[in-house]
Amino acid sequence: DDQQRKRFGIGLTDTRDDQQRERFHPFSPGTHMDWQHPQPGKRDWYEDYNTEWGLKLGKDCCAPDSVSFHYIKKSSMVRHIHALLTTCQQD
């Protein structure tokens, strides 16, 4: 938990790219592309987890050099990664 992390002097590292897009993802690329903030009065663990730096939505959600996506089946990974990379804005 956060208190234990602070107690032992363990800091957080911002692993986002220079446009503040995430590189490590708990969901599949499509889920990140479509994710929306919860309705007023509702809580969402993903939004709560990202209070430190905030979330970017849609095409800005994921860095082109993303490192990992979790909860994605191997057979879908190539299709999802290709779709994500071809819809990212090019620098």
Side-chain angles (χ1 to χ4, degrees), residues 31-80:
T31 300
H32 283 284
M33 293 279 291
D34 294 337
W35 189 88
Q36 296 292 316
H37 294 284
Q39 295 183 6
K42 301 281 184 177
R43 292 195 59 161
D44 182 280
W45 74 266
Y46 181 56
E47 186 170 54
D48 290 346
Y49 182 79
N50 286 284
T51 57
E52 185 80 20
W53 293 295
L55 291 168
K56 297 195 109 183
L57 303 178
K59 291 191 294 185
D60 295 324
C61 71
C62 306
D65 59 344
S66 290
V67 175
S68 67
F69 292 92
H70 295 274
Y71 305 111
I72 183 170
K73 293 179 181 179
K74 185 176 180 179
S75 60
S76 301
M77 190 172 298
V78 172
R79 180 173 39 90
H80 285 296

Side-chain angles (χ1 to χ4, degrees), residues 11-23:
L12 299 176
T13 300
D14 186 354
T15 58
R16 298 174 301 164
D17 70 5
D18 61 349
Q19 295 178 34
Q20 288 74 49
R21 296 174 295 189
E22 296 287 346
R23 288 188 171 109

